[in-house]
Amino acid sequence: MAGSRSPFRGDSVDPTSESSSASSPERAAYDDTDFSTYQANDSQSSIGVPTFRDMAVSEEEICRSPISRLPAELLIAIFAKLSAPMDLRSSMLVSKTWARNCVDLLWHRPSCNSWKNLMSVVHSLRKADAYFAYHDLVKRLNLSSLANEVSDGTVHPLAGCKRVERLTLTGCVKLTDSGVIALLNGNNHILALDISGLESITDNTLFTIANNCKRVQGLNITGCKLVTDASLTAVSENCRQIKRLKLNNCSQVGDDSIIAFAYHCPHMLEIDLQNCKNITDTSVTALITYASHLRELRLAHCSLITDEAFSRLNNYRSFDSLRILDLTACDDLTDKAVAKIVERAPRLRNLVLAKCRRITDVAVTAITKLGKNLHYVHLGHCSLITDKSVIQLVKSCNRIRYIDLGCCSKLTDVSVQQLATLPKLRRIGLVKCHQITDISVLALARSWATGAPMLPPSNIERVHLSYCGTCFRKEFTDHQRDVFCVFSGPGVTRLRAYLNQQAEQAGEEGSSLEDDDGTPAGVAILNGDDLEDIDEDFDGSDTGAEGPA
């Protein structure tokens, strides 16, 4: 035989075999050719056919089932299609090979939606003889479902999970610096952290974030009222990959830290400063100027902001990335600021100017320059607006989906009839617009009774007409009141509590994915006695399984 083909990857051959050509360099490990590339006449080629030694199959290969010989990547892709934790758990029990490829998927985001599940997770993490290093497998940890029960003592057993990428502790009001710091110390994998509503958190936690979580991209500390500029400045200097930042109701936050974020975090996409009363024009100008990728800026109730925040913007630069701007209750803003905003950010999609009571028709006329880019506009309580500017707005911005003109008392049916022609309009707010009548309602319904030309069916989903005294003069019957129930004020809170209670009961009775014996589904299934059984199986030999890695 003149020569023989080099062996395929995975064949059991001796490198010094006579099948190797002495006149050719040995093929590199990565230089393999797939079976499908060989032609039908390969057996007649000058290279020849493999020898019987080349085609030898080891006894181990014969014993393994075809499914066990699949590459790990393919097995993982298959197991990822299993949505039920019970199915993944069952797959883990088939063999060690399957278990190694299932365990990541099952422990990636452990189920901690009940106290029983959480305790099972903790039990598994504490096992000294566990077959897998479960601490390293947890990537997402969400304890918000147990917000009222979680305390520092609860989370300390989870402190060994140093590869968590997304940590959500929303509303866990019993947590203090001690518990949160234990979870963050030594963890340099954190990408998103939500500790909103933890009023006991101080600068100590933020300094820990600055020193350990330098890859963090999303940070939500809404309601952490004890946090100051000192720690936030440290975070901005050390965590320069931050893209999303929520500081709502952080009453001690001021210009120093916000300017630091503007300078040090050039990739910032979203920042929410709602009710940060100490923020001034300087911070706003710095954010828009230096965070060139900024898409969303929320400044609701930042009452110190004036026209100067926007008039200082560079006249020769356009901020095309900005899509959402919320200036609710920034009382000192005037038409001048709105005109500058539209000029410098021409691709705004959502603009909220609610309770900016100094806004007039001049500002609305400036907004019309946004044209087809404008989808959402809130002008509630801008009582100086008249029909004239609303008509212009409809003609120029025909892709509006949501508009709120509540308490704009000068508006009449003329405005609403024009708004009714918007082809994409979904929601409209007309609360306390006392001058509108049934004519407006018929126009929104696109009724023939208005005498308007035939239009396509309306896409309206919600119309808010509370306190419009000249509409719906007919009194509702008791039956109609029962059928069309409207909740407001404390009633909304009670309704939410009732619905949450019903959801919890449903979860406990049937939606908690429990086994017949009451074992909780999800990752908690891998805890306690079941996990011990799995570990015992892995310590020995099982059918079709490889030895421990």
Side-chain angles (χ1 to χ4, degrees):
M1 187 178 297
S4 63
R5 184 181 303 167
S6 298
F8 297 113
R9 180 169 50 190
D11 290 340
S12 301
V13 296
D14 186 343
T16 60
S17 170
E18 61 199 39
S19 62
S20 298
S21 173
S23 60
S24 302
E26 183 180 355
R27 175 179 294 179
Y30 57 83
D31 189 22
D32 295 329
T33 305
D34 193 83
F35 285 101
S36 61
T37 61
Y38 285 96
Q39 304 301 322
N41 63 347
D42 274 355
S43 60
Q44 301 173 5
S45 68
S46 59
I47 298 178
V49 299
T51 64
F52 285 107
R53 183 181 296 181
D54 292 332
M55 296 188 294
V57 180
S58 68
E59 183 177 349
E60 181 183 357
E61 291 290 327
I62 295 174
C63 295
R64 293 175 63 195
S65 62
I67 191 69
S68 297
R69 290 180 232 158
L70 288 176
E73 307 85 42
L74 189 53
L75 281 174
I76 292 172
I78 294 171
F79 293 140
K81 302 295 183 182
L82 301 177
S83 57
M86 277 298 299
D87 294 337
L88 285 170
R89 184 255 185 179
S90 299
S91 299
M92 278 194 68
L93 296 173
V94 172
S95 69
K96 290 189 288 291
T97 301
W98 282 32
R100 280 196 293 269
N101 293 302
C102 282
V103 68
D104 278 341
L105 297 171
L106 201 51
W107 276 84
H108 178 81
R109 182 170 51 190
S111 174
C112 298
N113 57 357
S114 71
W115 189 257
K116 186 177 181 180
N117 278 14
L118 178 59
M119 290 301 100
S120 297
V121 170
V122 170
H123 174 76
S124 292
L125 294 174
R126 283 176 166 174
K127 282 177 64 69
D129 57 344
Y131 186 78
F132 296 104
Y134 298 114
H135 287 95
D136 294 335
L137 300 179
V138 179
K139 297 296 189 296
R140 297 188 180 187
L141 191 57
N142 188 339
L143 303 180
S144 58
S145 297
L146 302 172
N148 295 325
E149 302 174 63
V150 172
S151 64
D152 292 339
T154 307
V155 301
H156 275 291
L158 303 172
C161 300
K162 298 303 183 185
R163 292 181 176 269
V164 174
E165 296 175 355
R166 299 181 183 273
L167 178 60
T168 304
L169 303 172
T170 308
C172 297
V173 293
K174 295 181 180 179
L175 282 177
T176 67
D177 287 333
S178 174
V180 179
I181 289 174
L183 292 172
L184 298 177
N185 246 334
N187 187 341
N188 59 0
H189 291 80
I190 289 286
L191 298 177
L193 175 62
D194 187 342
I195 52 174
S196 55
L198 278 63
E199 295 186 356
S200 298
I201 295 300
T202 69
D203 285 340
N204 292 332
T205 294
L206 273 295
F207 281 122
T208 301
I209 295 171
N211 294 329
N212 293 272
C213 310
K214 299 187 178 181
R215 297 173 56 195
V216 67
Q217 297 179 16
L219 179 61
N220 185 351
I221 61 170
T222 296
C224 297
K225 298 180 180 180
L226 301 180
V227 173
T228 69
D229 281 342
S231 61
L232 283 172
T233 301
V235 171
S236 71
E237 293 172 351
N238 290 279
C239 308
R240 302 198 174 199
Q241 297 183 40
I242 286 183
K243 296 181 179 179
R244 294 172 176 84
L245 183 64
K246 294 179 74 69
L247 304 176
N248 306 11
N249 299 308
C250 293
S251 54
Q252 298 193 50
V253 172
D255 287 337
D256 290 345
S257 58
I258 302 306
I259 294 172
F261 277 112
Y263 288 156
H264 299 302
C265 302
H267 304 295
M268 185 76 73
L269 298 177
E270 302 170 10
I271 184 166
D272 193 336
L273 300 172
Q274 178 179 332
N275 212 32
C276 293
K277 301 291 188 180
N278 298 325
I279 299 300
T280 70
D281 297 335
T282 307
S283 290
V284 179
T285 305
L287 282 170
I288 298 177
T289 302
Y290 296 104
S292 57
H293 300 289
L294 193 65
R295 294 188 310 205
E296 182 175 331
L297 177 59
R298 297 188 181 274
L299 301 165
H301 301 280
C302 295
S303 53
L304 297 181
I305 295 176
T306 69
D307 291 349
E308 290 298 313
F310 304 99
S311 62
R312 297 170 182 172
L313 296 176
N314 191 328
N315 290 325
Y316 302 99
R317 182 179 174 187
S318 180
F319 305 96
D320 292 333
S321 297
L322 194 60
R323 295 289 188 275
I324 299 174
L325 180 61
D326 185 349
L327 296 168
T328 300
C330 294
D331 298 325
D332 291 332
L333 291 181
T334 68
D335 297 335
K336 180 181 177 182
V338 177
K340 188 69 173 184
I341 290 167
V342 172
E343 178 188 347
R344 296 296 95 209
R347 300 186 66 182
L348 269 175
R349 186 182 64 199
N350 292 22
L351 180 59
V352 182
L353 296 170
K355 298 184 180 180
C356 294
R357 292 180 171 84
R358 300 174 67 182
I359 297 298
T360 70
D361 285 341
V362 175
V364 180
T365 302
I367 293 172
T368 61
K369 296 178 182 179
L370 294 174
K372 296 181 179 180
N373 292 318
L374 187 64
H375 290 178
Y376 180 113
V377 58
H378 197 318
L379 298 168
H381 294 269
C382 297
S383 56
L384 301 178
I385 294 174
T386 68
D387 291 335
K388 178 182 177 182
S389 60
V390 174
I391 293 171
Q392 289 181 318
L393 184 67
V394 172
K395 291 180 179 178
S396 301
C397 306
N398 61 358
R399 293 190 180 181
I400 292 176
R401 291 164 169 78
Y402 176 104
I403 185 168
D404 195 320
L405 297 166
C407 300
C408 294
S409 54
K410 293 186 177 182
L411 299 184
T412 69
D413 292 330
V414 175
S415 288
V416 183
Q417 286 177 305
Q418 289 295 316
L419 289 166
T421 65
L422 290 170
K424 296 182 179 294
L425 187 64
R426 297 290 188 272
R427 299 186 179 189
I428 181 170
L430 298 168
V431 176
K432 293 187 178 180
C433 292
H434 300 299
Q435 296 193 53
I436 68 172
T437 68
D438 290 347
I439 294 175
S440 294
V441 179
L442 292 172
L444 291 170
R446 295 187 177 174
S447 169
W448 59 269
T450 61
M454 293 299 292
L455 293 170
S458 173
N459 293 315
I460 294 285
E461 296 173 353
R462 180 179 297 176
V463 180
H464 201 168
L465 295 168
S466 299
Y467 305 103
C468 293
T470 53
C471 293
F472 303 123
R473 295 171 186 173
K474 172 187 172 183
E475 288 294 329
F476 290 112
T477 65
D478 291 338
H479 173 69
Q480 289 171 329
R481 292 177 189 278
D482 291 338
V483 173
F484 303 101
C485 187
V486 177
F487 296 89
S488 62
V492 175
T493 303
R494 291 197 296 271
L495 175 62
R496 183 186 298 112
Y498 172 78
L499 293 175
N500 287 336
Q501 182 182 7
Q502 293 296 309
E504 291 174 3
Q505 290 176 357
E508 293 174 359
E509 293 173 2
S511 302
S512 59
L513 297 176
E514 292 186 347
D515 289 339
D516 294 337
D517 61 356
T519 304
V523 69
I525 293 175
L526 294 179
N527 303 303
D529 296 336
D530 288 335
L531 189 56
E532 292 175 2
D533 294 340
I534 294 175
D535 286 337
E536 289 174 3
D537 290 338
F538 292 160
D539 289 340
S541 59
D542 56 83
T543 304
E546 301 174 1

